[in-house]
Amino acid sequence: MTATAPVATAGESRASKGLKVGALGLLGSIVVGVASTAPAYSLAASLGFVVTTANGDGIVGVKAPLIMVLAFVPMYFIAVAYAELNKAEPDCGTTFTWAARAFGTRVGWMGGWGIIIADVIVMANLAAIAGSYSFTLVGLDSLAADTTWSTVAGVVWIVIMTWICWRGIEVSARLQYVLLGLEVVTLIAFAGFALVKVYAGGAPSGLRPSLDWLSPAGLTGSAFVTAILIAVFIYWGWDSAVAVNEESDDPARTPGRAAIISTVLLLLTYALVSVATIAFAGVGDSGIGLGNADNADDVFAAMGHDVFGGGAVGWIMVHLLAICVLTSSAASTQTTILPTARTALSMAAFKALPERFARIHPRYLTPTDSTLWMGAVSIAFYVGLTLVSDKVLGDTIAAVGLMIAFYYGLTGFACAWFYRRTMWSSPRDIVMQGVFPLLGGLLLLGAFVVASVQYAAPDYGSTTFFGIGGVFVIGIGSLLLGVVLMVVWNALQPDYFRGVTLPRRKDGDLVLVGGGGRPVGTRLPDTVERTVIAPDLSNLPPGATAIDPVTGVEYHRDGPPPRGHDGSRDDER
């Protein structure tokens, strides 16, 4: 026996952590999700490496757009998992909360740790790019190349963005509207200028876009896997749209829709720009060709003048392109702080971290300690590794892919397991709650294993430890550090790990009775909703009824507590 219903809204009674409810609508959530991926910087820094990936005796070359499309597939599957789990429990802890509900507290804790450590590591990269580009933009190339000054500028960017995040979610969103708007307009202009010259015969490559570029013919298995491993992580960051779920106008629906829309918009952007870039510059190994290893770090800088030409318009557009990469990394710095602070907030609220991280600013309604500590730890990590070695810093940033695959994949598995009993009620639920999330989890598990093997090779990356590749040691070591910290916190504060503060449960525990139709209004084709009621009935609307689909017993807020829903663990029933 199952029941479907309209989803919970912000107005329904629900346990609150003190965040500002209703601050973000669908557009604001999409902006946060897309901005977190840093599209301009991700393309500038990754497209060249995808193109130059070894493919037998050659390179991936013009097949790069195919790689961009295929890399989207696991990201879409995991975005669906986020959307489905968010309907059941719109909690800002996302993977931490959902994995704990599905698999138990220890798995949930590691999911939260995966988010935090990945974000802290990538902050170093984003700050380094923002710091260097700040000087390049004003012609101070010598300072941009100076490690000390670029590090100082990067620290300043972290401080500024931390302050904005602390100042309020609405301030953060307004800034993202401006930064992302500039970024998208510039990227579209870049692609437009390039394609016009391609079809007018003015491009140096002599290439024209072809459907053959989307065919896997000619790609070796090794090239296929390696290139996708590079490309799949340029989509990373859209989950920030879900991490701000408790601050959205409709916590159960808006964040999930924003996550899915964000991944689709990223696909369109990456496909358009990669096709235009390859068609204009070609994949040769000299000049502005994308096969030239000297251009791999920043393909836009290498070809900007050729695309936009001379004159006043060309000068303006070339500088806008540089500003675009700078603002992209700066915006992503801000939107990386947002989800990390909220993950820490949720973990602290459930006593998986010290309770001080659950403090909310009384005026700005933001996670005070979590936000400030995220900024401080990011600065310490960035400066510390810069002082140790640029090579260690580079390998640490490369290792972040393992953390991403870990917690994204975990979310996919958590969704399929969470809905394992009730997804059989409709073909739609089987696909969206079971098949897609499970496939996403399996694909990312495969990526994790393949990447681990590659990263462990002594000649991979810039460092080695005991004959093992430094990227592997740092990536797996970071996850193992989480295990150590979890054991320590378990000894200090066992309530969370005993399931007292965040018990396991199934999606079939309780569902809301009523409704049964599709939501009214403009909507995605995959948003048939079911509201899952919390074990303590905290999100059950006044006057509504919850039902246990297994037993058929109904419960009301003024009645006796549901049997087995008193905080006991799922495996104790």
Side-chain angles (χ1 to χ4, degrees):
M1 180 176 180
T2 58
T4 58
V7 296
T9 65
E12 294 176 0
S13 176
R14 186 175 182 278
S16 172
K17 298 179 182 67
L19 297 169
K20 189 171 185 178
V21 178
L24 294 175
L26 179 60
L27 179 59
S29 298
I30 293 172
V31 167
V32 169
V34 175
S36 294
T37 65
Y41 167 67
S42 295
L43 280 168
S46 300
L47 181 57
F49 289 105
V50 173
V51 169
T52 56
T53 298
N55 180 38
D57 294 331
I59 58 176
V60 168
V62 296
K63 301 292 186 178
L66 168 66
I67 300 299
M68 294 295 179
V69 173
L70 293 178
F72 160 78
V73 175
M75 292 297 102
Y76 173 75
F77 288 166
I78 299 302
V80 169
Y82 267 77
E84 294 300 319
L85 286 168
N86 187 71
K87 294 171 188 175
E89 187 157 8
D91 187 278
C92 64
T94 60
T95 300
F96 156 73
T97 307
W98 302 329
R101 293 294 198 193
F103 299 127
T105 54
R106 287 167 180 79
V107 177
W109 200 96
M110 286 303 299
W113 171 254
I115 296 173
I116 292 173
I117 191 64
D119 287 346
V120 169
I121 289 174
V122 82
M123 282 286 285
N125 185 38
L126 295 170
I129 296 301
S132 176
Y133 262 83
S134 297
F135 292 121
T136 301
L137 188 61
V138 294
L140 299 176
D141 294 338
S142 60
L143 293 181
D146 186 283
T147 301
T148 300
W149 282 107
S150 62
T151 301
V152 169
V155 169
V156 171
W157 274 111
I158 293 177
V159 171
I160 292 173
M161 293 305 173
T162 301
W163 179 82
I164 292 173
C165 291
W166 173 77
R167 180 62 179 75
I169 185 66
E170 289 173 318
V171 176
S172 299
R174 291 190 197 106
L175 179 62
Q176 290 301 327
Y177 280 121
V178 176
L179 297 181
L180 184 63
L182 174 66
E183 190 174 347
V184 171
V185 168
T186 304
L187 287 176
I188 292 175
F190 175 85
F193 272 73
L195 289 174
V196 167
K197 289 191 174 183
V198 166
Y199 285 102
S205 72
L207 296 175
R208 287 201 175 185
S210 169
L211 288 177
D212 288 341
W213 294 4
L214 298 177
S215 169
L219 283 177
T220 65
S222 175
F224 194 78
V225 172
T226 303
I228 287 182
L229 282 174
I230 296 172
V232 73
F233 298 116
I234 70 173
Y235 286 92
W236 174 46
W238 51 262
D239 52 303
S240 294
V242 188
V244 293
N245 48 18
E246 296 190 45
E247 294 152 284
S248 71
D249 57 355
D250 189 345
R253 284 202 305 166
T254 295
R257 298 173 66 196
I260 293 174
I261 293 172
S262 295
T263 59
V264 173
L265 291 177
L266 288 169
L267 168 65
L268 296 175
T269 302
Y270 292 159
L272 171 64
V273 175
S274 62
V275 167
T277 303
I278 291 171
F280 183 89
V283 294
D285 58 4
S286 62
I288 66 171
L290 299 187
N292 186 344
D294 294 334
N295 300 334
D297 288 338
D298 190 345
V299 298
F300 293 155
M303 58 187 292
H305 289 282
D306 294 273
V307 171
F308 292 118
V313 173
W315 185 90
I316 292 172
M317 294 308 299
V318 166
H319 282 76
L320 275 178
L321 191 60
I323 293 173
C324 179
V325 176
L326 168 61
T327 58
S328 178
S329 58
S332 187
T333 301
Q334 179 195 347
T335 48
T336 299
I337 295 171
L338 286 175
T340 314
R342 280 146 185 81
T343 298
L345 164 65
S346 181
M347 294 179 74
F350 290 111
K351 298 185 179 181
L353 285 180
E355 291 187 52
R356 65 177 300 166
F357 290 105
R359 294 177 184 172
I360 297 293
H361 193 282
R363 179 181 176 187
Y364 304 137
L365 302 181
T366 55
T368 302
D369 286 51
S370 295
T371 300
L372 298 180
W373 270 99
M374 173 57 184
V377 170
S378 297
I379 290 172
F381 181 83
Y382 173 38
V383 174
L385 285 190
T386 301
L387 292 174
V388 171
S389 168
D390 284 341
K391 293 182 178 180
V392 175
L393 177 60
D395 280 359
T396 303
I397 293 168
V400 77
L402 293 177
M403 275 73 85
I404 299 168
F406 170 73
Y407 84 81
Y408 269 3
L410 177 60
T411 307
F413 291 129
C415 183
W417 186 255
F418 184 83
Y419 284 108
R420 69 191 184 280
R421 288 188 172 89
T422 58
M423 64 180 170
W424 310 104
S425 60
S426 72
R428 180 264 172 205
D429 288 349
I430 294 174
V431 172
M432 304 301 287
Q433 297 174 355
V435 176
F436 281 180
L438 182 59
L439 284 176
L442 290 172
L443 289 171
L444 287 173
L445 175 61
F448 183 93
V449 173
V450 172
S452 295
V453 173
Q454 291 185 349
Y455 294 168
D459 58 348
Y460 191 95
S462 303
T463 61
T464 58
F465 298 92
F466 309 106
I468 304 174
V471 177
F472 173 84
V473 172
I474 294 168
I476 299 300
S478 297
L479 293 175
L480 292 177
L481 174 61
V483 174
V484 173
L485 294 176
M486 179 178 67
V487 171
V488 172
W489 187 246
N490 187 15
L492 296 175
Q493 178 57 265
D495 280 356
Y496 162 75
F497 296 99
R498 292 173 179 169
V500 175
T501 60
L502 186 60
R504 285 181 66 176
R505 67 179 176 88
K506 305 183 296 292
D507 69 315
D509 284 351
L510 295 175
V511 294
L512 184 65
V513 174
R518 288 175 172 265
V520 178
T522 303
R523 51 190 299 279
L524 294 173
D526 63 352
T527 50
V528 177
E529 314 287 0
R530 171 187 288 119
T531 297
V532 178
I533 301 303
D536 59 0
L537 306 183
S538 60
N539 67 327
L540 182 65
T545 301
I547 188 171
D548 186 325
V550 177
T551 65
V553 177
E554 297 184 350
Y555 300 96
H556 306 274
R557 299 188 74 177
D558 54 354
R563 181 179 177 83
H565 294 273
D566 54 359
S568 60
R569 295 193 306 272
D570 181 63
D571 56 5
E572 291 179 342
R573 297 184 208 166

